[in-house]
Amino acid sequence: QGDALTGHVYHYGTKVFFTGTNDQDDMHRELAGVAPAPADGRVQRVLDIGCSIGQGCTALKERFTQGEVTGIDVGAPMLRYAHWRAVQLGIAVHFRQRVFEDTGFPDAHFDMVQAGIVFHEVPFEITRRTVREMFRVLRPGGTFNVFDFPAGAPIPAGLQYFLDIDAHYNGEPYSTEFIYSDFGGELERAGFQVRKGPPAARYLHTWFCTKPG
C-alpha cells in the first residue's frame, strides 16, 4: 500500500492470476449481478469494502445506476488508481481511505454492503469486528453479501491441500484461519439472518445476509 504504482501492478497481476477471465471485470460483474438487493427494492447507498482498484464498485454502479456507490480500502495508491480507472470508464463512484472494521459512517447509512474476496486476507479478529460494523452501518432490511473462500464446512482433501499450500507460499497468511472458522456463526451472532447461496465465479462461496427490520 506504500508504493505509488501499487494499483497498476495489482491490476496487471490480477490479469495473470485470473488467466484473462476477468479482463473486462467479468467476475466482479457476476458478483454484483447475483448479490441480493433488499426485499423492498430500495437501493440508495451501496458500500464495497476492501474495494482495491474499484472493479466491484463500478460493477455495482452499473447495476444500481440510481444509487450512490462507495468503495473503501486501506491502501491510498489503490484508491487513486481506482478513481482514475472509474473516471476513464465514465462511471461515477466514490472512494474513501478507511479500515472496514471502523468505517466512521453513520448508523443505518447503507442499503447494501458487499465484500468480495476480503475476509481471508485479514486476521479473524478483524473479520469479527467488521461483521459487527457492517451490521451497524446497514439499515434494517439491508443486505450484506459476502463472496470468499470456503469457511466453516468440510473441504475435500485436494482443495484443503491446495489452500494450505496457498496460505504458506502465496502470500495468504490469514486464509487458513478464515477457512477453519465458524464464519457463518459470526454473522448470526452479529444479528444477521444468513442464507448460504450457490458458488459464484467458479470457486467462491457465498453468504447472503439480511439485517432484520
Side-chain angles (χ1 to χ4, degrees), residues 1-18:
Q1 60 172 304
D3 192 302
L5 293 177
T6 297
H8 299 77
V9 173
Y10 175 87
H11 199 185
Y12 180 78
T14 59
K15 176 179 176 61
V16 176
F17 181 82
F18 291 115

Side-chain angles (χ1 to χ4, degrees), residues 157-203:
L159 178 58
Q160 181 176 342
Y161 175 76
F162 168 78
L163 291 171
D164 287 345
I165 292 295
D166 188 54
H168 285 290
Y169 299 109
N170 195 37
E172 301 281 9
Y174 304 114
S175 64
T176 302
E177 186 179 12
F178 176 76
I179 289 164
Y180 298 116
S181 72
D182 181 20
F183 180 59
E186 286 297 328
L187 292 165
E188 291 174 347
R189 284 188 285 276
F192 285 110
Q193 297 172 343
V194 182
R195 174 172 64 88
K196 278 289 279 153
R202 297 181 296 168
Y203 69 96

Side-chain angles (χ1 to χ4, degrees), residues 17-18 27 117 120 148-150 159 163 199-205:
F17 181 82
F18 291 115
M27 181 188 75
I117 328 181
H120 76 277
D148 216 308
F149 282 10
L159 178 58
L163 291 171
R202 297 181 296 168
Y203 69 96
L204 297 179
H205 286 226

Side-chain angles (χ1 to χ4, degrees), residues 2 68-69 86 155 196:
E68 179 183 82
V69 177
I155 303 172
K196 278 289 279 153

Side-chain angles (χ1 to χ4, degrees), residues 1-208:
Q1 60 172 304
D3 192 302
L5 293 177
T6 297
H8 299 77
V9 173
Y10 175 87
H11 199 185
Y12 180 78
T14 59
K15 176 179 176 61
V16 176
F17 181 82
F18 291 115
T19 62
T21 60
N22 196 38
D23 283 2
Q24 305 301 321
D25 298 350
D26 309 84
M27 181 188 75
H28 294 86
R29 286 193 172 103
E30 178 184 341
L31 301 186
V34 302
D40 61 12
R42 179 162 62 89
V43 183
Q44 296 176 324
R45 297 191 187 98
V46 181
L47 177 65
D48 185 18
I49 65 172
C51 68
S52 66
I53 61 170
Q55 292 163 292
C57 300
T58 53
L60 286 163
K61 180 63 176 179
E62 286 177 326
R63 177 180 173 188
F64 301 106
T65 56
Q66 302 304 310
E68 179 183 82
V69 177
T70 301
I72 61 172
D73 200 276
V74 71
M78 299 287 269
L79 294 174
R80 282 194 289 269
Y81 184 83
H83 173 72
W84 174 84
R85 186 173 180 274
V87 169
Q88 297 302 306
L89 293 170
I91 301 176
V93 293
H94 304 276
F95 297 101
R96 299 189 183 186
Q97 185 183 21
R98 299 190 180 184
V99 293
F100 42 66
E101 69 270 26
D102 185 15
T103 64
F105 291 115
D107 292 353
H109 188 66
F110 292 99
D111 303 289
M112 287 183 66
V113 177
Q114 185 144 310
I117 328 181
V118 168
F119 289 123
H120 76 277
E121 301 282 7
V122 298
F124 196 74
E125 178 56 32
I126 298 297
T127 293
R128 182 177 290 113
R129 291 166 56 190
T130 301
V131 165
R132 283 153 179 76
E133 175 72 351
M134 296 307 103
F135 190 85
R136 182 186 71 79
V137 301
L138 270 173
R139 67 165 173 91
T143 55
F144 177 36
N145 302 309
V146 180
F147 305 90
D148 216 308
F149 282 10
I155 303 172
L159 178 58
Q160 181 176 342
Y161 175 76
F162 168 78
L163 291 171
D164 287 345
I165 292 295
D166 188 54
H168 285 290
Y169 299 109
N170 195 37
E172 301 281 9
Y174 304 114
S175 64
T176 302
E177 186 179 12
F178 176 76
I179 289 164
Y180 298 116
S181 72
D182 181 20
F183 180 59
E186 286 297 328
L187 292 165
E188 291 174 347
R189 284 188 285 276
F192 285 110
Q193 297 172 343
V194 182
R195 174 172 64 88
K196 278 289 279 153
R202 297 181 296 168
Y203 69 96
L204 297 179
H205 286 226
T206 60
W207 292 262
F208 298 146

